[in-house]
Amino acid sequence: MPGIVLRGSGMRFISRSLAIAASFLPFGAMAETESEIIFSRKAWQVEVVGFDDGSTACVAQVTRPRGTFSIWVFEDESVRLQFFSDEWEFEESNADLEVQIDRRGPWTLTNADLYQNSVLFNLPDSRDGVRFMVEVAKGKTLFLRDEDGADVRRFPLAGSSASMQAMVDCGATIAQGDAGGSGSAKRKSNPFN
């Protein structure tokens, strides 16, 4: 069973996740972010998101009645998984979980961040991280399970191959600083900042 070891994501990501979570609320007006849908295929939507600090991210997501599965790519090319449900109310803590795609072997996601309505995972920049993304792109159904293997949520992955490509293209664009935002412009104009 492959394992993905996750590290703490820090306060900057927690503040982002609050804005992200607000976007999933049924009445949520997002004061802290702006987003634009750049691709849609079957169960997936891919968006570019601008944060009020000038940074940008790309997100590919599947929304179901009981929750959302999202894959975030940030300007520094880090990748984070987010499972969101307004039925969840977490204290800030961590848990070991399991994700399985179709009938392939399950992935052990170690030390996931549980925060308010979200489960957050930092996907490592490694061979395992790439294999996980390939499984998502080729998969039909993703199962989120607790540490003991009991089903918590399931998400359809129809359209994931084209959506993962759109997200990769979006991620490459924001990593180059072409998606706009003052954060990208600052890095180009002052390499010491």
Side-chain angles (χ1 to χ4, degrees), residues 141-157:
T141 306
L142 180 144
F143 302 90
L144 175 64
R145 298 185 172 126
D146 67 16
E147 185 176 21
D148 298 323
D151 284 349
V152 175
R153 292 284 188 277
R154 96 180 29 187
F155 296 94
L157 299 178

Side-chain angles (χ1 to χ4, degrees), residues 4-17:
I4 299 176
V5 178
L6 305 169
R7 296 173 188 87
S9 52
M11 287 307 291
R12 183 172 176 179
F13 181 66
I14 289 172
S15 66
R16 284 184 175 171
S17 68

